[in-house]
Amino acid sequence: MRRSRDSAFVTARSSAPTGAGGALLPARDLAAAWSVVVLITVPAWALTIGQAQDMGVEPGTMGMALPLFLVLWVTMMAAMMLPSMAPVALTWVRGIGRQSSGWARTGRTVQFMGGYLLVWTAFGLLAYAALAVSGNLVEDRPTAGRWIGSVAFLLAGLYQLGPLKHVCLRHCRDPLSHLVRYAGYRRPARDLRVGLHHGVYCVGCCAGLMVVLVPLGVMNVAAMAALALVIFLEKLWSRGPLLTRVVGVVFLVLALLAPFQDWLLPGLRGSMPSMGGM
């Protein structure tokens, strides 16, 4: 029956690990789930930091071929996104565990995670193209970096304050109804579709924040950590929507300052002359 099938994925509503969405996991399971998240997130951050130290912060793609960039991008996204999307993902995986066992459970879990990461990989293609274009522009005309940075902050600020961000953030903060909807998806590839669907909303929620990696540097660990914290608070903190608007306003202010403040553009100033030397 539909109701019994849905109940495999929806649990009692008590304290809310995902904002207003209600409790998606009992306290004991939630503690165990967060332990798994830590075990995955910490190595992802370690790999990201190690690679960033080797490469530094430079304009564009830093000479990386597309396959290597996508590997690093997916690792970065796992480090930055997993803590904020974990309650939804783990609730779905827990439902899979109730319905399947052995290799079937493993296969379904891989489908779900594969769908989610596939969306972020596709977004990584767009990120690579944007970084390649900005890097070429800065190489040809170093002073263009200031205006590229200003436009990037402007776009990020407008997106943070726009309707698409609001719709996607609402999904990420209150996913319970979507989990019920996902339970109605038909096989085959139901779990892949769930991963893709949730991944699209996650990308829509974070796209504006990712744009600022162009001026800040795609391998800027401090920027990645700050953005990961913002993403986490936006999705899980009760005042997340207010934080979204505050960050949007901050980005708009940075858009005004970027042409005159080189320190705001570490990812674009590799060969950019200082204002005093102009």
Side-chain angles (χ1 to χ4, degrees):
M1 303 294 290
R2 176 64 181 270
R3 184 173 182 180
S4 61
R5 180 177 59 185
D6 293 348
S7 64
F9 297 93
V10 182
T11 56
R13 301 167 68 96
S14 56
S15 60
T18 54
L24 300 180
L25 289 174
R28 183 179 62 182
D29 291 347
L30 189 61
W34 279 109
S35 298
V36 174
V37 170
V38 171
L39 290 175
I40 297 174
T41 304
V42 170
W45 272 110
L47 289 172
T48 300
I49 292 172
Q51 192 63 41
Q53 289 177 338
D54 292 338
M55 300 180 67
V57 179
E58 297 179 12
T61 62
M62 296 170 288
M64 286 187 286
L66 179 59
L68 175 59
F69 176 86
L70 290 179
V71 170
L72 294 177
W73 177 262
V74 171
T75 303
M76 287 168 51
M77 294 305 102
M80 295 175 65
M81 303 298 168
L82 184 57
S84 62
M85 62 87 66
V88 176
L90 293 169
T91 300
W92 183 258
V93 171
R94 183 170 180 257
I96 291 175
R98 289 176 174 178
Q99 295 184 340
S100 308
S101 61
W103 287 109
R105 176 172 57 192
T106 301
R108 291 186 61 190
T109 302
V110 169
Q111 282 189 56
F112 171 76
M113 295 306 300
Y116 181 83
L117 293 177
L118 184 61
V119 177
W120 275 109
T121 301
F123 188 75
L125 295 173
L126 298 177
Y128 186 85
L131 289 167
V133 170
S134 64
N136 290 336
L137 288 173
V138 170
E139 183 177 353
D140 294 339
R141 300 187 62 181
T143 56
R146 296 190 178 89
W147 305 107
I148 294 172
S150 180
V151 170
F153 283 123
L154 176 63
L155 292 176
L158 294 176
Y159 191 90
Q160 284 288 109
L161 300 173
L164 183 57
K165 169 75 177 193
H166 173 74
V167 170
C168 294
L169 181 61
R170 185 173 57 191
H171 166 91
C172 292
R173 286 179 56 82
D174 189 12
L176 190 58
S177 60
H178 295 277
L179 290 175
V180 174
R181 174 187 175 188
Y182 293 158
Y185 281 6
R186 294 182 178 180
R187 298 181 183 181
R190 177 174 66 178
D191 302 289
L192 177 64
R193 289 176 60 198
V194 172
L196 288 169
H197 188 271
H198 188 63
V200 168
Y201 273 103
C202 189
V203 167
C205 185
C206 304
L209 296 173
M210 296 297 104
V211 169
V212 301
L213 288 177
V214 173
L216 297 180
V218 72
M219 298 304 294
N220 187 330
V221 175
M224 284 188 283
L227 292 176
L229 179 61
V230 170
I231 292 167
F232 183 86
L233 293 176
E234 279 187 343
K235 294 183 179 181
L236 303 182
W237 187 32
S238 61
R239 297 182 181 272
L242 174 61
L243 176 64
T244 295
R245 293 190 290 272
V246 170
V247 171
V249 172
V250 169
F251 285 162
L252 294 180
V253 173
L254 294 180
L256 297 175
L257 296 177
F260 314 103
Q261 301 292 329
D262 291 351
W263 63 272
L264 291 174
L265 310 171
L268 292 169
R269 68 184 184 190
S271 58
M272 190 166 59
S274 65
M275 289 295 292
M278 292 182 61

